[in-house]
Amino acid sequence: MFEIHREEIDWAGRKLVLETGKIARQADGAVLATWGETTVLATVVSAKSAKPGQDFFPLTVNYQEKAFAAGRIPGGYFKREGRPSERETLVSRLIDRPIRPLFVDGYKNETQVILTVLSHDLENDPDVLAMVAASAALTLSGVPFMGPIGGARVGHINGALKVNPTIEEMKNSTLDLVVAGTADAVLMVESEAKELSEETMLEAVMTGHRGFQPVIDAIIRLAERAAKEPRDFSPPAKEEVAAAVAKIGEAELREAYKITVKQQRYATVDAVKAKVFAALAPEGAEAKFSKEQIDEAFHDLQAKVVRWNILDDGLRIDGRDVKTVRPIVSEVGILPRAHGSALFTRGETQALVVATLGTGEDEQFVDSLEGTYKERFLLHYNFPPYSVGETGRMGSPGRREIGHGKLAWRAIRPVLPAPAEFPYTLRLVSEITESNGSSSMATVCGSSLALMDAGVPMKRPTAGIAMGLILEGERFAVLSDILGDEDHLGDMDFKVAGTSEGVTSLQMDIKIAGITEEIMRVALAQARDGRMHILGEMSKALSSSRAELGEFAPRIETLKIPTEKIREVIGTGGKVIREIVEKTGAKVNIEDDGTVKVASSDSNSIKAAINWIKSIASDPEVGQIYEGTVVKTAEFGAFVNFFGSKDGLVHISQLAATRVAKTTDVVKEGDKVKVKLLGFDDRGKVRLSMRAVDQTTGEDIEAKAAKSDGTGAQPQV
């Protein structure tokens, strides 16, 4: 019934199995990939023909994690998987980026790749396995895919690079880098690093490239036995329409790309395009070429003009040379009520970034296959349509917003203080108010400034820069701080973020069949020079974190209580902790190890909450002075509530330094008094003294007297 084909190799010390022919046989391509005990099913379906009028390649990659893969039931009210999580969206993008450039130019049939995690051993991350499975399924499907590709994760553990570390090993890694590519070149890099050098990052990329070569070989062997016949597809001829478009529009298009202001340039280019369409596809008349053919030829002509201007003259659209960064203006503290804010402007790209400090209650709970965990650092990126002078849909963030935000998150996280040093939840929101060039890198710069403005003790300021590439045969030019057009018409989007000490994040996407080590080396070196320049410009606004938190930021103090006292502080059904919060006005967060974080913008609220918690979780100390309230008077003295719920007796002889005839001559119920804990009587009752304390200053009178007489001995009371 089944015609099963398998390929099995040892990869990074674990068995990798690629199997086809048993599951999802109606898909154009299907591969069940297993690595250790992690299993991913990859399926590919591509329409038999393109939709009429289709002018783009509709490729969709959907990565999905099933909770049953790790023996879990989904969290939340509805116990089934819903919309894609942030991780699922990010992994979908991770796989889309290296496979998209390898489809034959001109192929526009709707294509869908679905990756489903069926089993997760909590040791081998399924994201790289899903990439390998997708590559194998595409290679077997018969669609015009010029693969296969391979992928690998590279860690930097104890000073050495390691290919495909386990999830546990990655906890001690200073690098998390995923690289994908073909047998000959690198197509995609995604990484987070703890200020590593450019040399180490390049070595990591090439180590990963070498590390996935056995996977590519295995996919080829599997395809030799199980691949479907290639589809009969020939790219449409472009020469005739290209010549016609160039004859009408090339000269004017060259003049248009000498205009340095984006909106004026776009308007002129649109006018040239309209002229070409009017000539080659007039309304109401039969045209030799379709609108889609003309549109594609015009795009190719735009790329030709921009690319060869750069290669021949070294001049870019806005008149810069290949290494110059656009003018930068950095401003901080621009929003009066925000905890921290910054406006970072680079040329025609601008990010308004706002930092907000919160408490443990504000941490985000993340439900994953590995279990539920809390995230204390959040970065949300928004790209409203007005930033590019357009109208558009407003709603929940799309894949682009999630991906760009995560890139900036990776760049900033390595320089944040440890929770023990700075026990705040941090949220950054980046509103892109203008865009012509990398807004994600503007977000990195603005985020760094906003956090420093908020008083977050970052290790060092962080900046980012986007690099581009023009590659024609043996000639190439690496571009620093690319414009939107240079990204759109170029061959590479290479983003590097870091500090003065090293790289914190690197992301690379290639639109051609890959790039070499030499080009990456040039790009990294040029990016470092650009990053150092940007850091210098940022320092004109703020060079380090402010010494104090913003006026409206909450203050957090931390204390430790015995774990066996946690239950008492929380109370039955949370009754006690709710009372503490309601009466003091402070937020209280208690962790499983007994760490208690108390937060409020009012220092008196924090003090009151801490004293209350201490009164529950600890015992009063003999010789210490406390402030209390008289709760009852009697002939023999006054009872004072002085330590949370604890009361003690101030004997009438301890009310004042002189003889007291009647208790109510000195105190009455409700009075605030200062008392010293003398000790406990034979029955364990608390003995307090008011006469030992200066009721105005709270000073220990007897200790002061003992010190002044030179004996240092404290008189017996």
Side-chain angles (χ1 to χ4, degrees), residues 357-368:
L357 308 185
T359 66
E361 291 181 359
D362 300 309
E363 291 179 336
Q364 181 175 0
F365 284 85
V366 181
D367 194 28
S368 71

mmCIF file with all atom_site columns, all heavy atoms in Angstrom, residues 357-368:
data_model
loop_
_atom_site.group_PDB
_atom_site.id
_atom_site.type_symbol
_atom_site.label_atom_id
_atom_site.label_alt_id
_atom_site.label_comp_id
_atom_site.label_asym_id
_atom_site.label_entity_id
_atom_site.label_seq_id
_atom_site.pdbx_PDB_ins_code
_atom_site.Cartn_x
_atom_site.Cartn_y
_atom_site.Cartn_z
_atom_site.occupancy
_atom_site.B_iso_or_equiv
_atom_site.pdbx_formal_charge
_atom_site.auth_seq_id
_atom_site.auth_comp_id
_atom_site.auth_asym_id
_atom_site.auth_atom_id
_atom_site.pdbx_PDB_model_num
ATOM 1  N N   . LEU A 1 357 ? 8.330  51.122 32.376 1.00 0.00 ? 357 LEU A N   1
ATOM 2  C CA  . LEU A 1 357 ? 8.806  50.192 33.395 1.00 0.00 ? 357 LEU A CA  1
ATOM 3  C C   . LEU A 1 357 ? 7.609  49.659 34.176 1.00 0.00 ? 357 LEU A C   1
ATOM 4  O O   . LEU A 1 357 ? 6.732  50.415 34.571 1.00 0.00 ? 357 LEU A O   1
ATOM 5  C CB  . LEU A 1 357 ? 9.779  50.891 34.354 1.00 0.00 ? 357 LEU A CB  1
ATOM 6  C CG  . LEU A 1 357 ? 10.949 51.645 33.725 1.00 0.00 ? 357 LEU A CG  1
ATOM 7  C CD1 . LEU A 1 357 ? 11.888 52.163 34.814 1.00 0.00 ? 357 LEU A CD1 1
ATOM 8  C CD2 . LEU A 1 357 ? 11.704 50.781 32.750 1.00 0.00 ? 357 LEU A CD2 1
ATOM 9  N N   . GLY A 1 358 ? 7.595  48.357 34.371 1.00 0.00 ? 358 GLY A N   1
ATOM 10 C CA  . GLY A 1 358 ? 6.509  47.738 35.118 1.00 0.00 ? 358 GLY A CA  1
ATOM 11 C C   . GLY A 1 358 ? 7.045  46.792 36.175 1.00 0.00 ? 358 GLY A C   1
ATOM 12 O O   . GLY A 1 358 ? 8.255  46.656 36.377 1.00 0.00 ? 358 GLY A O   1
ATOM 13 N N   . THR A 1 359 ? 6.148  46.107 36.833 1.00 0.00 ? 359 THR A N   1
ATOM 14 C CA  . THR A 1 359 ? 6.504  45.171 37.898 1.00 0.00 ? 359 THR A CA  1
ATOM 15 C C   . THR A 1 359 ? 6.345  43.744 37.409 1.00 0.00 ? 359 THR A C   1
ATOM 16 O O   . THR A 1 359 ? 6.039  43.485 36.240 1.00 0.00 ? 359 THR A O   1
ATOM 17 C CB  . THR A 1 359 ? 5.603  45.407 39.115 1.00 0.00 ? 359 THR A CB  1
ATOM 18 O OG1 . THR A 1 359 ? 4.251  45.051 38.757 1.00 0.00 ? 359 THR A OG1 1
ATOM 19 C CG2 . THR A 1 359 ? 5.644  46.867 39.550 1.00 0.00 ? 359 THR A CG2 1
ATOM 20 N N   . GLY A 1 360 ? 6.532  42.806 38.322 1.00 0.00 ? 360 GLY A N   1
ATOM 21 C CA  . GLY A 1 360 ? 6.372  41.398 37.974 1.00 0.00 ? 360 GLY A CA  1
ATOM 22 C C   . GLY A 1 360 ? 4.976  41.061 37.476 1.00 0.00 ? 360 GLY A C   1
ATOM 23 O O   . GLY A 1 360 ? 4.784  40.125 36.695 1.00 0.00 ? 360 GLY A O   1
ATOM 24 N N   . GLU A 1 361 ? 3.972  41.839 37.908 1.00 0.00 ? 361 GLU A N   1
ATOM 25 C CA  . GLU A 1 361 ? 2.609  41.599 37.449 1.00 0.00 ? 361 GLU A CA  1
ATOM 26 C C   . GLU A 1 361 ? 2.463  41.851 35.950 1.00 0.00 ? 361 GLU A C   1
ATOM 27 O O   . GLU A 1 361 ? 1.537  41.363 35.318 1.00 0.00 ? 361 GLU A O   1
ATOM 28 C CB  . GLU A 1 361 ? 1.634  42.508 38.200 1.00 0.00 ? 361 GLU A CB  1
ATOM 29 C CG  . GLU A 1 361 ? 1.469  42.179 39.664 1.00 0.00 ? 361 GLU A CG  1
ATOM 30 C CD  . GLU A 1 361 ? 0.470  43.098 40.347 1.00 0.00 ? 361 GLU A CD  1
ATOM 31 O OE1 . GLU A 1 361 ? -0.062 44.000 39.650 1.00 0.00 ? 361 GLU A OE1 1
ATOM 32 O OE2 . GLU A 1 361 ? 0.217  42.929 41.541 1.00 0.00 ? 361 GLU A OE2 1
ATOM 33 N N   . ASP A 1 362 ? 3.386  42.630 35.391 1.00 0.00 ? 362 ASP A N   1
ATOM 34 C CA  . ASP A 1 362 ? 3.292  43.005 33.975 1.00 0.00 ? 362 ASP A CA  1
ATOM 35 C C   . ASP A 1 362 ? 4.043  42.042 33.063 1.00 0.00 ? 362 ASP A C   1
ATOM 36 O O   . ASP A 1 362 ? 4.024  42.215 31.835 1.00 0.00 ? 362 ASP A O   1
ATOM 37 C CB  . ASP A 1 362 ? 3.849  44.418 33.778 1.00 0.00 ? 362 ASP A CB  1
ATOM 38 C CG  . ASP A 1 362 ? 3.089  45.448 34.590 1.00 0.00 ? 362 ASP A CG  1
ATOM 39 O OD1 . ASP A 1 362 ? 1.856  45.462 34.488 1.00 0.00 ? 362 ASP A OD1 1
ATOM 40 O OD2 . ASP A 1 362 ? 3.723  46.215 35.334 1.00 0.00 ? 362 ASP A OD2 1
ATOM 41 N N   . GLU A 1 363 ? 4.718  41.049 33.620 1.00 0.00 ? 363 GLU A N   1
ATOM 42 C CA  . GLU A 1 363 ? 5.427  40.093 32.780 1.00 0.00 ? 363 GLU A CA  1
ATOM 43 C C   . GLU A 1 363 ? 4.441  39.327 31.909 1.00 0.00 ? 363 GLU A C   1
ATOM 44 O O   . GLU A 1 363 ? 3.309  39.058 32.314 1.00 0.00 ? 363 GLU A O   1
ATOM 45 C CB  . GLU A 1 363 ? 6.227  39.118 33.650 1.00 0.00 ? 363 GLU A CB  1
ATOM 46 C CG  . GLU A 1 363 ? 7.398  39.763 34.363 1.00 0.00 ? 363 GLU A CG  1
ATOM 47 C CD  . GLU A 1 363 ? 8.155  38.783 35.240 1.00 0.00 ? 363 GLU A CD  1
ATOM 48 O OE1 . GLU A 1 363 ? 7.546  37.780 35.659 1.00 0.00 ? 363 GLU A OE1 1
ATOM 49 O OE2 . GLU A 1 363 ? 9.339  39.018 35.504 1.00 0.00 ? 363 GLU A OE2 1
ATOM 50 N N   . GLN A 1 364 ? 4.887  38.981 30.714 1.00 0.00 ? 364 GLN A N   1
ATOM 51 C CA  . GLN A 1 364 ? 4.013  38.256 29.784 1.00 0.00 ? 364 GLN A CA  1
ATOM 52 C C   . GLN A 1 364 ? 4.179  36.754 29.958 1.00 0.00 ? 364 GLN A C   1
ATOM 53 O O   . GLN A 1 364 ? 5.294  36.237 29.945 1.00 0.00 ? 364 GLN A O   1
ATOM 54 C CB  . GLN A 1 364 ? 4.343  38.643 28.340 1.00 0.00 ? 364 GLN A CB  1
ATOM 55 C CG  . GLN A 1 364 ? 3.447  37.952 27.329 1.00 0.00 ? 364 GLN A CG  1
ATOM 56 C CD  . GLN A 1 364 ? 3.698  38.420 25.908 1.00 0.00 ? 364 GLN A CD  1
ATOM 57 O OE1 . GLN A 1 364 ? 4.534  39.265 25.678 1.00 0.00 ? 364 GLN A OE1 1
ATOM 58 N NE2 . GLN A 1 364 ? 2.974  37.860 24.963 1.00 0.00 ? 364 GLN A NE2 1
ATOM 59 N N   . PHE A 1 365 ? 3.064  36.055 30.113 1.00 0.00 ? 365 PHE A N   1
ATOM 60 C CA  . PHE A 1 365 ? 3.088  34.600 30.167 1.00 0.00 ? 365 PHE A CA  1
ATOM 61 C C   . PHE A 1 365 ? 3.086  34.061 28.740 1.00 0.00 ? 365 PHE A C   1
ATOM 62 O O   . PHE A 1 365 ? 2.241  34.435 27.933 1.00 0.00 ? 365 PHE A O   1
ATOM 63 C CB  . PHE A 1 365 ? 1.884  34.063 30.940 1.00 0.00 ? 365 PHE A CB  1
ATOM 64 C CG  . PHE A 1 365 ? 1.995  34.209 32.423 1.00 0.00 ? 365 PHE A CG  1
ATOM 65 C CD1 . PHE A 1 365 ? 1.630  35.390 33.055 1.00 0.00 ? 365 PHE A CD1 1
ATOM 66 C CD2 . PHE A 1 365 ? 2.493  33.167 33.198 1.00 0.00 ? 365 PHE A CD2 1
ATOM 67 C CE1 . PHE A 1 365 ? 1.754  35.532 34.421 1.00 0.00 ? 365 PHE A CE1 1
ATOM 68 C CE2 . PHE A 1 365 ? 2.616  33.302 34.572 1.00 0.00 ? 365 PHE A CE2 1
ATOM 69 C CZ  . PHE A 1 365 ? 2.249  34.483 35.186 1.00 0.00 ? 365 PHE A CZ  1
ATOM 70 N N   . VAL A 1 366 ? 4.048  33.214 28.435 1.00 0.00 ? 366 VAL A N   1
ATOM 71 C CA  . VAL A 1 366 ? 4.184  32.643 27.093 1.00 0.00 ? 366 VAL A CA  1
ATOM 72 C C   . VAL A 1 366 ? 3.960  31.144 27.183 1.00 0.00 ? 366 VAL A C   1
ATOM 73 O O   . VAL A 1 366 ? 4.645  30.441 27.937 1.00 0.00 ? 366 VAL A O   1
ATOM 74 C CB  . VAL A 1 366 ? 5.575  32.938 26.498 1.00 0.00 ? 366 VAL A CB  1
ATOM 75 C CG1 . VAL A 1 366 ? 5.685  32.346 25.097 1.00 0.00 ? 366 VAL A CG1 1
ATOM 76 C CG2 . VAL A 1 366 ? 5.836  34.440 26.462 1.00 0.00 ? 366 VAL A CG2 1
ATOM 77 N N   . ASP A 1 367 ? 3.012  30.650 26.413 1.00 0.00 ? 367 ASP A N   1
ATOM 78 C CA  . ASP A 1 367 ? 2.685  29.223 26.384 1.00 0.00 ? 367 ASP A CA  1
ATOM 79 C C   . ASP A 1 367 ? 3.420  28.595 25.212 1.00 0.00 ? 367 ASP A C   1
ATOM 80 O O   . ASP A 1 367 ? 3.177  28.933 24.061 1.00 0.00 ? 367 ASP A O   1
ATOM 81 C CB  . ASP A 1 367 ? 1.172  29.055 26.226 1.00 0.00 ? 367 ASP A CB  1
ATOM 82 C CG  . ASP A 1 367 ? 0.711  27.640 26.535 1.00 0.00 ? 367 ASP A CG  1
ATOM 83 O OD1 . ASP A 1 367 ? 1.384  26.972 27.335 1.00 0.00 ? 367 ASP A OD1 1
ATOM 84 O OD2 . ASP A 1 367 ? -0.313 27.217 25.976 1.00 0.00 ? 367 ASP A OD2 1
ATOM 85 N N   . SER A 1 368 ? 4.362  27.711 25.491 1.00 0.00 ? 368 SER A N   1
ATOM 86 C CA  . SER A 1 368 ? 5.152  27.080 24.434 1.00 0.00 ? 368 SER A CA  1
ATOM 87 C C   . SER A 1 368 ? 5.184  25.574 24.628 1.00 0.00 ? 368 SER A C   1
ATOM 88 O O   . SER A 1 368 ? 4.710  25.056 25.649 1.00 0.00 ? 368 SER A O   1
ATOM 89 C CB  . SER A 1 368 ? 6.581  27.635 24.443 1.00 0.00 ? 368 SER A CB  1
ATOM 90 O OG  . SER A 1 368 ? 7.286  27.163 25.581 1.00 0.00 ? 368 SER A OG  1
#
